[in-house]
Amino acid sequence: MKKKTMLFCLLCLGISVISCSKKDKDEGPTDEEILTKKIEDIIPGKYLDSLEKLGLAIHMGTHPPQVEGSYAIKPHILDTSDIAGDYEGYRFSDATVHLSNQSTTDFSIKLLAEDYLKDFDSSLVTAISGYDNYFTVYGKVKATAAGSGAYAIVAILISGEKDGENLKNIRTGLINIDASHADASFIPEGKGRIAYDSDFISERIGNGLAPGEGNRSATPLPTLLSK
């Protein structure tokens, strides 16, 4: 009788272990794991470290605010850089960033930019992290120069806060991660910059604004990715 009881207990234990293992497997990755994997696909760890050393704050977390919209980044001013010849206070072209299709399940977000990195930029892979009103948007972007067709693959990070309809305290970090199709107008591969919206408010400039209808500098200035 004791042997039968022991055998029954072992059988129940085995079923319980199998059931728990199957449950754990079915649950899949956590939100933190999904987000971490996305960020790693966008920017290699060594380049993320480089931007943090230059002073870019990264707002981690799986509950970022809703930031969809089109926003004016102006005046767009250089803060820090590891590029020879750069200096604090240099002014770049006024820019527009379009954010749309923000997902709360896989942390993706569509990023389009005008006069931000080059003449027109489109995101290849994106993610957003954050908490409360703080957020960081991560984009692996193909930045294309008008006319020549030259392009570079760049990691761009936009950190800031949601403030009503607007964004505030916007800081942008960029680093060139693939310059194999770039020309001399681009910054070198592996080099980066941190810039900021110097009036600290990035105003929302319209709902559903189409690319090409954004903010433009009255006088053409270099973009953030220009050499």
Side-chain angles (χ1 to χ4, degrees):
M1 181 70 179
K2 288 183 178 179
K3 288 183 179 179
K4 288 183 178 180
T5 302
M6 185 178 294
L7 182 62
F8 177 75
C9 289
L10 289 172
L11 181 61
C12 289
L13 180 60
I15 292 171
S16 176
V17 169
I18 292 170
S19 176
C20 288
S21 297
K22 186 176 186 299
K23 183 180 179 183
D24 291 342
K25 186 176 180 181
D26 289 345
E27 284 178 352
T30 64
D31 285 348
E32 289 78 9
E33 290 169 337
I34 293 170
L35 179 57
T36 298
K37 177 64 167 60
K38 269 194 169 292
I39 294 171
E40 289 173 348
D41 287 344
I42 292 166
I43 179 169
K46 64 178 181 178
Y47 291 146
L48 185 60
D49 290 344
S50 294
L51 291 179
E52 289 187 285
K53 287 176 181 176
L54 285 173
L56 184 68
I58 309 296
H59 301 304
M60 293 302 296
T62 56
H63 296 90
Q66 221 288 342
V67 296
E68 291 184 356
S70 298
Y71 304 93
I73 312 296
K74 64 173 185 177
H76 202 194
I77 305 298
L78 179 66
D79 186 11
T80 59
S81 169
D82 60 3
I83 299 168
D86 277 1
Y87 58 90
E88 183 180 352
Y90 183 86
R91 182 171 180 175
F92 296 105
S93 175
D94 295 343
T96 302
V97 60
H98 308 272
L99 301 171
S100 61
N101 298 336
Q102 182 176 343
S103 171
T104 59
T105 55
D106 70 355
F107 308 105
S108 62
I109 186 167
K110 187 175 181 180
L111 166 65
L112 293 173
E114 295 173 64
D115 299 324
Y116 214 128
L117 303 182
K118 274 296 183 183
D119 301 284
F120 188 74
D121 318 306
S122 57
S123 55
L124 304 174
V125 186
T126 56
I128 183 170
S129 65
Y131 62 94
D132 298 333
N133 290 326
Y134 297 89
F135 69 92
T136 299
V137 172
Y138 312 74
K140 181 187 288 186
V141 174
K142 180 180 179 181
T144 304
S148 70
Y151 67 90
I153 305 302
V154 179
I156 177 172
L157 279 65
I158 303 172
S159 284
E161 301 173 54
K162 185 69 182 297
D163 183 27
E165 287 294 302
N166 303 321
L167 306 180
K168 72 177 183 179
N169 298 325
I170 290 297
R171 291 171 62 82
T172 301
L174 79 92
I175 193 161
N176 192 340
I177 60 177
D178 182 358
S180 58
H181 298 280
D183 59 21
S185 70
F186 290 81
I187 65 172
E189 186 170 319
K191 296 296 184 179
R193 286 172 171 148
I194 308 296
Y196 64 104
D197 187 331
S198 64
D199 67 5
F200 305 109
I201 296 294
S202 301
E203 295 180 342
R204 185 165 181 155
I205 54 176
N207 293 315
L209 194 66
E213 298 177 348
N215 181 66
R216 296 278 177 174
S217 299
T219 302
L221 294 168
T223 60
L224 195 54
L225 190 56
S226 299
K227 190 171 180 180

